[in-house]
Amino acid sequence: MNGPPGQTGHADNDEGMDSGALALLKLGIDFHAMAAITSSEGRFTYVNDKFCAVTQYSRSELLGQDFRILNSGYHPKAMMKELWQTILGGQVWHGELRNRAKDGSFYWVSASIVPRVDPAGRPVEFITIRTEITKRKVAEETVAQLNADLQRRAAQLESANAEMESFAYSVSHDLRAPLRSMDGFSQALLEDYGDRLDATGQDYLRRVRAGAQQMGRLIDDILGLSMVTRQEMTHDRVDLTALAQLAIAELRQQQGERLVHWRIGEGLAASGDPQLLRVMLDNLLGNAFKFTGRREQAHIEMGRLGRVSDGVFFVRDNGAGFDMTYAGRLFGAFQRMHTTAEFPGTGIGLATVQRVILRHGGRVWAEAQPDKGATFYFTLPVVEDPS
Amino acid sequence: MTATGKAILLVEDNPDDELLTIRALKRNHILNEVIVARDGAEALDYLFGTGAYAGRDVSVSPQLVLLDLKLPKVSGLEVLQRLREDPRTRMQPVVVLTSSNQEQDLVNSYGLGANSYIRKPVDFEQFSEAVRHIGLYWLVLNEAPPVRRG
């Protein structure tokens, strides 16, 4: 960084500045900055109090000393070369330097180095004014460090997401094909060669088919769970009552002879992603429907707890419930509270519910008793009502 | 169901799926000739009368193409794109019949002009039912595009 040529030995040719003003200017400089003068060989001939304070050397230690004792060895050679070329050429150099104090610690200065040259243009001494900027530099370094960290993490996340995406794609395509073979050819055996198998043989084939189909559902649920995590979210006003009614309409088709009393609160609304919240309610209401399967009269209720502004909702059933001792595992993927024989399932439903709620910045928890039913609570951002 | 005599082109690289699809067609009394192409390149050869199918009368087009997406050499989506770009095959009915229901596959398939998209179920009964519907709709109910002249 170059400035105009250095003054050529006439300190008093400032426009209209008398000696009184010059004295005050020096006072101001002493108050504000570290000032020093070095000889052409680089030895200190003058230092002000602030210079001593920041460098931690006394004036007597500094005077006659080579200025290089301040060097920190931090700056690249090219930059130092440019500095010297500038000031030896009679130009002002300005820039930021890291220097070393007497105790070995480092400090940063914003420095201007002004060469004083003789009539032949050779520097005879150097006047330097420095302002300490350590705090700012440390803050800048911290910010730069944080930014670099953030960028690295964003890149990692992006590549993890891309990997997840291609993993899901491959799972979706390649993992289901062998299951189709297992199921399809077991069925073909049953159809074409069933008469040559006894009841046990046929039962085994049915078990192969059931296993293949269960794994098919598992794959679909895992893909659904990963979709819930990856999919971009919107923040719309979502009518939870209407979504619940849609979910119930589908469940009613499986209802058959079962007696299910549905009670869905009116005007339940939240701010969020309609597609994700539909998946969440499908799972919660589907669970309530499933786990009341052995009740003569099933009661399933969805509503709001407390004030509208609290955004707390619940789904309650009088089904099989569960032991709260195991509640900690409730929302983990592949965790089940009941055997597949008691109630079929893959153990992905509540993990999906939790991911949807967490992505909305909400919480989900449950209260239950074995054989007395369960209540699932969840919070969602409430809709900002303009009225 | 009575199906007319035109062929079905089944583009499928998995021999198990090929066998199961043919089984499901027979089971549902769909008696059309089934031509199997085991990768995308073979499918294009058949449709455009090139390679192993050089000299085939390409004015005789299949009544229906059942197209898998994940195929060796030339992907199902690429096959679809090539069909839609060529005036000879632009109107060819194509049903995507594949394992995945990933959103990107659905979007790309419809975007490139697939007529229908069916996900192969794991359960053979359901698969057979899907094939029955495909046959009923595309081979019986649906009016095929007119044969191109000249």
Side-chain angles (χ1 to χ4, degrees):
Chain A
M1 275 164 267
N2 304 355
Q7 301 294 337
T8 51
H10 306 287
D12 55 352
N13 66 347
D14 288 77
E15 308 87 13
M17 201 180 280
D18 60 29
S19 59
L22 272 177
L24 287 175
L25 182 64
K26 183 184 177 303
L27 188 70
I29 288 170
D30 286 342
F31 193 80
H32 186 85
M34 305 158 66
I37 300 173
T38 57
S39 65
S40 57
E41 300 87 49
R43 295 189 181 280
F44 288 112
T45 56
Y46 168 82
V47 290
N48 71 356
D49 289 346
K50 206 171 196 82
F51 194 93
C52 296
V54 173
T55 61
Q56 297 169 4
Y57 292 102
S58 69
R59 181 166 285 108
S60 58
E61 283 174 310
L62 285 169
L63 292 179
Q65 183 60 253
D66 193 300
F67 78 97
R68 289 183 191 86
I69 60 161
L70 303 180
N71 280 2
S72 65
Y74 174 83
H75 300 288
K77 278 209 169 72
M79 174 184 155
M80 298 316 288
K81 197 177 160 194
E82 185 257 348
L83 184 158
W84 280 108
Q85 276 174 353
T86 306
I87 58 178
L88 290 175
Q91 306 283 110
V92 175
W93 184 88
H94 180 75
E96 291 178 351
L97 292 170
R98 192 174 89 149
N99 284 156
R100 190 198 300 270
K102 189 182 176 182
D103 70 356
S105 65
F106 297 108
Y107 60 89
W108 277 92
V109 290
S110 168
S112 296
I113 306 175
V114 184
R116 183 175 189 178
V117 294
D118 63 16
R122 287 186 299 263
V124 290
E125 59 183 6
F126 303 105
I127 292 99
T128 70
I129 307 286
R130 304 161 197 241
T131 321
E132 203 201 345
I133 53 165
T134 309
K135 272 189 191 154
R136 196 193 85 205
K137 291 300 283 190
V138 168
E140 277 174 11
E141 276 171 15
T142 310
V143 168
Q145 184 67 40
L146 287 174
N147 266 336
D149 280 356
L150 207 61
Q151 270 170 14
R152 206 179 55 240
R153 279 185 207 184
Q156 280 171 352
L157 204 63
E158 205 167 300
S159 95
N161 267 345
E163 207 169 291
M164 188 74 188
E165 198 79 38
S166 75
F167 179 73
Y169 189 80
S170 160
V171 165
S172 177
H173 273 281
D174 302 336
L175 246 55
R176 293 173 85 249
L179 297 174
R180 272 200 305 280
S181 300
M182 286 162 63
D183 187 85
F185 291 111
S186 301
Q187 175 65 15
L189 269 177
L190 283 169
E191 279 176 11
D192 299 357
Y193 302 92
D195 54 347
R196 293 186 223 173
L197 289 167
D198 62 11
T200 310
Q202 296 195 10
D203 177 52
Y204 289 168
L205 280 177
R206 273 188 280 273
R207 284 173 190 268
V208 172
R209 289 196 67 201
Q213 289 171 23
Q214 170 72 359
M215 186 155 166
R217 281 189 290 272
L218 208 51
I219 289 170
D220 287 350
D221 286 356
I222 293 171
L223 288 174
L225 182 65
S226 91
M227 183 278 285
V228 156
T229 310
R230 288 175 295 138
Q231 186 176 285
E232 291 200 14
M233 267 184 69
T234 61
H235 296 276
D236 305 321
R237 183 191 190 279
V238 180
D239 183 343
L240 296 175
T241 302
L243 284 188
Q245 300 291 4
L246 286 174
I248 290 168
E250 282 185 12
L251 290 168
R252 280 209 173 108
Q253 293 180 359
Q254 315 166 23
Q255 200 163 313
E257 299 293 298
R258 286 187 54 189
L259 264 180
V260 185
H261 303 281
W262 297 96
R263 211 166 81 202
I264 306 299
E266 289 298 318
L268 304 177
S271 165
D273 184 285
Q275 205 187 339
L276 291 179
L277 291 177
R278 171 73 201 270
V279 171
M280 190 273 296
L281 285 181
D282 280 353
N283 274 293
L284 274 187
L285 293 167
N287 270 357
F289 181 78
K290 178 163 74 181
F291 291 108
T292 51
R294 297 181 178 182
R295 290 281 177 268
E296 275 184 27
Q297 304 248 348
H299 289 274
I300 299 169
E301 184 187 357
M302 179 172 146
R304 178 166 26 223
L305 202 71
R307 290 167 301 178
V308 174
S309 57
D310 294 339
V312 183
F313 305 90
F314 68 89
V315 171
R316 177 175 295 138
D317 67 63
N318 65 335
F322 57 86
D323 186 343
M324 285 295 281
T325 316
Y326 309 113
R329 289 167 50 190
L330 201 55
F331 296 100
F334 309 115
Q335 300 291 341
R336 303 215 61 222
M337 297 285 135
H338 306 273
T339 64
T340 316
E342 283 178 295
F343 294 101
T346 54
I348 303 285
L350 286 179
T352 306
V353 167
Q354 188 185 42
R355 288 210 191 169
V356 171
I357 295 295
L358 288 180
R359 284 199 69 187
H360 284 80
R363 289 181 305 126
V364 59
W365 68 100
E367 280 169 11
Q369 259 183 294
D371 223 34
K372 294 259 170 69
T375 307
F376 285 86
Y377 301 91
F378 56 95
T379 66
L380 285 172
V382 290
V383 182
E384 307 279 337
D385 200 341
S387 65
Chain B
M1 157 188 339
T2 47
T4 47
K6 284 178 78 184
I8 297 169
L9 176 64
L10 173 63
V11 190
E12 173 61 75
D13 64 317
N14 182 334
D16 283 3
D17 276 348
E18 174 190 329
L19 210 56
L20 289 172
T21 307
I22 291 170
R23 186 178 170 86
L25 288 167
K26 281 197 184 135
R27 205 182 195 229
N28 291 296
H29 315 295
I30 298 165
L31 304 172
N32 301 53
E33 184 193 357
V34 178
I35 292 134
V36 181
R38 291 178 180 84
D39 60 56
E42 208 180 314
L44 291 171
D45 277 346
Y46 179 82
L47 290 160
F48 294 118
T50 52
Y53 289 99
R56 191 184 80 83
D57 178 4
V58 294
S59 70
V60 180
S61 56
Q63 186 148 3
L64 180 66
V65 175
L66 293 175
L67 182 64
D68 193 9
L69 290 185
K70 218 177 167 207
L71 295 167
K73 297 182 192 170
V74 178
S75 78
L77 289 175
E78 225 174 311
V79 170
L80 190 54
Q81 186 173 10
R82 296 273 297 279
L83 286 186
R84 293 300 180 245
E85 280 168 1
D86 196 299
R88 291 172 295 171
T89 50
R90 179 173 295 152
M91 292 187 281
Q92 171 67 53
V94 175
V95 172
V96 172
L97 185 63
T98 192
S99 281
S100 126
N101 62 348
Q102 294 278 291
E103 195 175 303
Q104 66 192 99
D105 284 334
L106 283 158
V107 168
N108 289 333
S109 297
Y110 282 119
L112 289 170
N115 298 89
S116 181
Y117 188 112
I118 311 279
R119 188 195 187 202
K120 295 180 213 167
V122 168
D123 184 338
F124 182 75
E125 301 285 347
Q126 290 175 23
F127 181 54
S128 175
E129 190 59 14
V131 168
R132 189 177 75 82
H133 284 296
I134 292 170
L136 178 64
Y137 185 82
W138 288 103
L139 304 174
V140 180
L141 292 177
N142 185 58
E143 293 286 345
V147 176
R148 213 181 60 94
R149 280 181 255 279

